Amino acid sequence: MRPTERLLNRLWAHEKASYGLRVSIALSTLMAVCWYRGDLQPLPSLFLGTIASAVAETDDNGWGRSKSVLLSLLCFVAAAAAVIQLFDWPLPFVAALALAAFALTLLGALGERYASIGQATVTLAIYTMIAMDQHRGAGTGTAAAWRDVAQMLAGAAWYGALSILWTVMFANRPVRERLARLFGELGRYLQLKADLFEPVRHGDLEARRLALAEQNVRVVQALNAAKTAILSRFGRSGRPGVQSGLYFRLYYMAQDFHERASSSHYPYEALTEAFFHSDVLYRCRRLLSLQGGACMALGQAIRLRQPFDYGERNRQAGQDLEHSLQYLRDQHNPRWQRLLGSLQLLATNLSSIARQLSEASLADTPLEGIDTRLRDSSPHTLREMATRLRQALTPGSLLFRHGVRIALALIAGYAVLKLVHPSNGYWILLTIVFVCRPNFGATRLRLVQRIGGTLVGLGVTWALMQLFPGTTLQLLLALAAALLFFVTRTDRYVIATAAITTMALLCFNLLGDGFVLIWPRLLDTLIGCAIAATASLLILPDWQGRRLHRVMAQVIATSTRYLDEVLGQYRSGMRDDLPYRIARRDMHNADVALSVALSNMLREPGYARGNLDAGFRFLALSNTLLGYLSALGAHRAQAAVSDDPLVGDAQRCLQQALAGLSTALSERQAAPAAGDDERALADALEQLPEDSDDKSRLVRTQLALILRLLPRLRAAADEAVGGGTRPAPSPAAA
């Protein structure tokens, strides 16, 4: 393949290429039609309608996308008609605006599709207000506003039709893109995990664990995105065919990699102390790092639809680790016996990852004898939808509180624009809609990004209009800015804001007032951001610190269910069935929710934060707990644990202790005191019989590690929620 073809292939395979190209085609076509007709006046309205339709777009199959487009257009028509009919009556108008914003926000309870449609509908309604405001100022009346609305709807319908056609033509491309991103995130997770095996005394292990926890958030989000893409195309029945078998196989492979990579078989400090003068930890670190690179290479191969080769260097690194372990075993050092067993389990995990990577074929193959069902939590019937909406209609619901907040913020914004800034003031409302987020931390971040992006966009637009006064060049620049907005709007919001600001002002400059709108745009943005920040601060604020105890309780509750599922498979034999995968995924999702909550707390006012240090300590300990449980899950197989009374006693003790801790956290009470038998039970579990098999040794060792972790979990929980003053035990005592 020639370099040019290779470059084009990589550009086409990029995750954002499909979305960007689709938007580019839609906008270019509209621009070409207007240019051919010699009438550029409709272009801003057509562009705004296309943008609203593209914002409402979510990943789906052809039929699902068709329903979404139809529902979006119906909502757009209703919203635009309501704006035009009520625009001259301020009180009914603002009441209807607030009620509509509240109701459309609650649509988020039905899933991502409805949340996107709701936000896009509010956005198009404000675009209609801008059109009405401009026509009233020019004295052209309601008929001209209806014309603009028709043009916006035409742009939305055109993009919707193109989106449906694109989905039919490239049905499985989003699945490949999400699987490619998943393996890329897994690769980075493995490389961060490798850093934990660097044998350095007094290293900043907690910082590395927190970095690993942050990357775990991205891995779990990528897993959830891949599952959603698979569900939207192949359903929840779990009957993949030949063509879809590849995607299911890669998804389950990624799940297995994640469980094995999350495993923790022994405290890293103890491994460093015991094997400080050996090369075995460096061997582990090197192999983990190389396998991380191999995962990222597999993700690239999936994206480019190219063959994948695990590589001889990776195989040699695995052999080197086995030789290093064998050398240590030959020393017959009794102090190393248990630690070498843990390292051997790690080597087994890495060997399994290596085997699956070596056998990773990107050919379409059917799956047989595997439970391929997936949990689909989206409502599918009117009864299920009504139940979701009723559950959201309570003050305790985050969506309800956000809906009230954004409705009142829009009322305040409308009052301000009527009092102090009647001309072009509806950009205040637009800013409120985009900046006001469900919690203060996210709103604060979005506010800073919005202001920064607007300033950059205004400066760039002023320079472009000075340098390129010609209409043709400004049209092309507006098209490029719109494309940049859609490529960056999910992960580069400052750039996206600058791009959409540039596009809007260049389009309005076609009407002759681009320069005039620069200062109003900045002022509107600042006013809208101030109102959004005030609303998030004062109206039913969702301080993460005040609900942190419930998030922590969910982590402990899901870990208890995960433990029960894992130990059940040691009694009945390994089966990667739906209940086990649900328990595993719930534990990871709860861990991610805790990490996100703590990140949001960092952006909240000091008086609302609570004990952040204790929260992050609890996060590190919950990740350690997850690692111990994942180690049990990664090696699960039928073993003689049913006949071991200590295993049964440990399971009952852990169930009782974790359930008590979860209940205490949910009720914001002091954690229950440790049972007298916990330490004795851990000591007994570590007295391994000489005739015990490897699996029984693993189960007893991991259960002992979890029992010794309990005092530190309780102490961190008490500190984080203010439920007690019990001092945290030292790692050695635990």
Side-chain angles (χ1 to χ4, degrees):
M1 184 182 294
R2 289 178 296 182
T4 304
E5 293 178 353
R6 189 182 300 112
L7 176 61
L8 290 174
N9 190 32
R10 287 182 176 273
L11 289 175
W12 167 245
H14 193 273
E15 186 175 356
K16 302 289 182 63
S18 179
Y19 191 32
L21 184 59
R22 194 161 59 246
V23 172
S24 179
I25 291 173
L27 296 178
S28 300
T29 305
L30 294 173
M31 184 181 295
V33 170
C34 291
W35 189 271
Y36 176 77
R37 294 180 58 192
D39 182 12
L40 299 179
Q41 292 293 108
L43 204 55
S45 298
L46 291 169
F47 270 26
L48 293 177
T50 302
I51 289 170
S53 184
V55 167
E57 184 182 47
T58 53
D59 181 39
D60 217 328
N61 56 23
W63 173 237
R65 183 68 58 81
S66 301
K67 292 190 292 184
S68 295
V69 169
L70 180 59
L71 180 59
S72 299
L73 291 175
L74 290 174
C75 290
F76 290 172
V77 170
V83 169
I84 292 176
Q85 294 301 319
L86 297 174
F87 193 78
D88 290 331
W89 292 274
L91 290 180
F93 176 80
V94 73
L97 175 64
L99 183 61
F102 174 76
L104 290 168
T105 301
L106 283 188
L107 281 182
L110 304 181
E112 182 186 0
R113 174 195 297 177
Y114 298 95
S116 299
I117 292 173
Q119 184 177 38
T121 301
V122 175
T123 302
L124 188 128
I126 298 174
Y127 289 160
T128 307
M129 297 175 204
I130 295 173
M132 288 289 295
D133 185 52
Q134 288 180 336
H135 287 299
R136 290 297 167 85
T140 50
T142 304
W146 272 114
R147 185 186 66 241
D148 280 358
V149 168
Q151 291 163 357
M152 280 190 274
L153 293 174
W158 162 233
Y159 183 82
L162 180 62
S163 175
I164 295 170
L165 178 63
W166 197 281
T167 301
V168 173
M169 291 175 60
F170 306 103
N172 294 333
R173 180 188 170 103
V175 182
R176 289 199 308 274
E177 291 173 348
R178 282 155 182 75
L179 285 171
R181 181 162 67 91
L182 169 57
F183 277 96
E185 298 294 353
L186 272 173
R188 283 180 278 276
Y189 183 87
L190 283 169
Q191 291 181 338
L192 286 173
K193 182 84 172 186
D195 291 340
L196 295 178
F197 288 90
E198 186 177 18
V200 177
R201 290 193 179 110
H202 310 298
D204 195 357
L205 198 58
E206 290 302 317
R208 296 182 183 185
R209 282 181 173 139
L210 288 176
L212 191 66
E214 291 175 0
Q215 180 60 27
N216 188 58
V217 172
R218 290 185 278 272
V219 173
V220 174
Q221 289 172 344
L223 276 165
N224 291 336
K227 186 193 79 168
T228 300
I230 292 172
L231 271 172
S232 67
R233 275 143 190 90
F234 311 121
R236 53 180 171 175
S237 62
R239 300 190 185 94
V242 173
Q243 291 184 345
S244 57
L246 168 66
Y247 305 123
F248 278 87
R249 180 162 55 82
L250 289 171
Y251 176 69
Y252 294 133
M253 182 192 299
Q255 282 191 326
D256 184 66
F257 284 8
H258 187 216
E259 184 170 57
R260 294 184 183 278
S262 303
S263 299
S264 179
H265 301 88
Y266 216 80
Y268 299 103
E269 302 93 327
L271 294 174
T272 298
E273 190 64 34
F275 300 112
F276 187 78
H277 298 289
S278 170
D279 70 343
V280 68
L281 294 183
Y282 279 112
R283 300 292 183 189
C284 292
R285 185 175 186 271
R286 172 174 166 76
L287 182 54
L288 267 169
S289 182
L290 288 174
Q291 288 187 343
C295 277
M296 288 190 280
L298 176 58
Q300 189 71 355
I302 294 170
R303 180 173 282 116
L304 298 175
R305 308 188 74 174
Q306 293 176 349
F308 168 74
D309 180 26
Y310 181 54
E312 186 59 35
R313 186 174 63 160
N314 298 18
R315 296 185 183 91
Q316 186 60 50
Q319 294 174 9
D320 291 344
L321 175 59
E322 287 294 339
H323 293 158
S324 183
L325 283 170
Q326 185 59 50
Y327 176 81
L328 292 175
R329 283 193 293 267
D330 292 342
Q331 306 305 306
H332 301 293
N333 189 331
R335 294 179 302 163
W336 292 350
Q337 181 179 1
R338 185 177 300 156
L339 297 177
L340 281 175
S342 297
L343 285 179
Q344 185 57 56
L345 290 170
L346 170 64
T348 301
N349 265 350
L350 298 181
S351 176
S352 175
I353 292 176
R355 177 182 54 78
Q356 294 184 69
L357 285 171
S358 299
E359 299 171 356
S361 169
L362 300 185
D364 292 332
T365 55
L367 291 177
E368 297 179 359
I370 299 177
D371 184 358
T372 57
R373 292 173 299 162
L374 295 172
R375 176 176 57 176
D376 186 2
S377 55
S378 301
H380 292 278
T381 65
L382 291 177
R383 182 185 296 273
E384 291 175 346
M385 292 180 180
T387 301
R388 289 283 186 91
L389 291 175
R390 281 198 303 271
Q391 291 172 347
L393 275 172
T394 60
S397 165
L398 294 180
L399 278 176
F400 180 91
R401 297 160 75 89
H402 180 51
V404 171
R405 193 179 304 122
I406 202 166
L408 294 177
L410 287 174
I411 291 174
Y414 185 79
V416 169
L417 75 89
K418 285 296 183 183
L419 289 172
V420 301
H421 194 245
S423 178
N424 299 307
Y426 291 92
W427 277 338
I428 295 174
L429 305 183
L430 202 61
T431 301
I432 291 171
V433 169
F434 285 119
V435 169
C436 196
R437 300 288 92 191
N439 59 74
F440 180 82
T443 299
R444 178 179 171 182
L445 177 62
R446 183 60 62 89
L447 181 151
V448 173
Q449 293 173 333
R450 186 80 181 182
I451 293 175
T454 300
L455 288 171
V456 172
L458 291 175
V460 169
T461 305
W462 179 85
L464 290 176
M465 288 192 294
Q466 292 281 3
L467 293 171
F468 307 105
T471 301
T472 304
L473 279 175
Q474 289 192 11
L475 282 174
L476 294 175
L477 290 170
L479 177 63
L483 177 60
L484 182 61
F485 166 74
F486 283 101
V487 170
T488 59
R489 75 183 185 92
T490 56
D491 53 1
R492 298 287 187 274
Y493 193 72
V494 174
I495 298 175
T497 301
I500 199 65
T501 300
T502 301
M503 190 221 77
L505 292 180
L506 287 175
C507 284
F508 281 113
N509 195 48
L510 297 175
L511 307 177
D513 53 0
F515 282 103
V516 175
L517 294 177
I518 288 180
W519 286 111
R521 176 79 174 194
L522 177 59
L523 181 59
D524 292 343
T525 297
L526 294 175
I527 294 174
C529 286
I531 293 172
T534 303
S536 294
L537 193 64
L538 301 179
I539 302 173
L540 301 176
D542 286 313
W543 303 124
Q544 300 296 297
R546 296 178 185 175
R547 54 187 295 269
L548 185 64
H549 62 287
R550 290 194 293 270
V551 182
M552 294 164 64
Q554 186 65 14
V555 171
I556 300 301
T558 53
S559 67
T560 308
R561 291 194 291 271
Y562 187 23
L563 174 65
D564 292 343
E565 284 290 334
V566 170
L567 292 181
Q569 298 212 359
Y570 277 94
R571 297 186 175 94
S572 61
M574 177 180 175
R575 59 191 187 283
D576 203 20
D577 56 5
L578 184 61
Y580 176 80
R581 286 187 274 112
I582 287 176
R584 178 175 61 190
R585 188 57 42 219
D586 284 346
M587 173 66 181
H588 281 286
N589 284 332
D591 187 70
V592 166
L594 175 59
S595 182
V596 171
L598 289 169
S599 297
N600 286 328
M601 283 174 64
L602 289 170
R603 304 186 189 100
E604 293 180 347
Y607 66 83
R609 286 183 182 178
N611 194 332
L612 259 178
D613 291 339
F616 278 107
R617 278 198 297 276
F618 186 90
L619 175 64
L621 292 170
S622 70
N623 270 268
T624 303
L625 172 63
L626 178 57
Y628 293 155
L629 292 173
S630 297
L632 282 171
H635 302 285
R636 65 192 188 281
Q638 193 162 5
V641 297
S642 301
D643 302 328
D644 190 340
L646 283 177
V647 171
D649 291 343
Q651 183 177 3
R652 286 188 291 273
C653 179
L654 285 171
Q655 285 175 329
Q656 181 178 0
L658 292 173
L661 179 56
S662 176
T663 301
L665 282 168
S666 62
E667 297 175 359
R668 202 158 192 166
Q669 297 177 351
D676 297 334
D677 57 342
E678 285 181 10
R679 178 170 294 188
L681 188 55
D683 292 338
L685 285 167
E686 290 176 341
Q687 303 302 314
L688 302 172
E690 293 295 331
D691 59 346
S692 62
D693 59 82
D694 292 340
K695 294 297 182 184
S696 298
R697 286 172 179 265
L698 167 68
V699 173
R700 292 179 65 142
T701 299
Q702 296 303 117
L703 291 178
L705 289 171
I706 298 172
L707 283 167
R708 296 195 185 281
L709 188 68
L710 286 177
R712 298 168 66 193
L713 270 172
R714 292 190 184 102
D718 279 343
E719 265 195 279
V721 303
T725 58
R726 188 184 300 120
S730 66

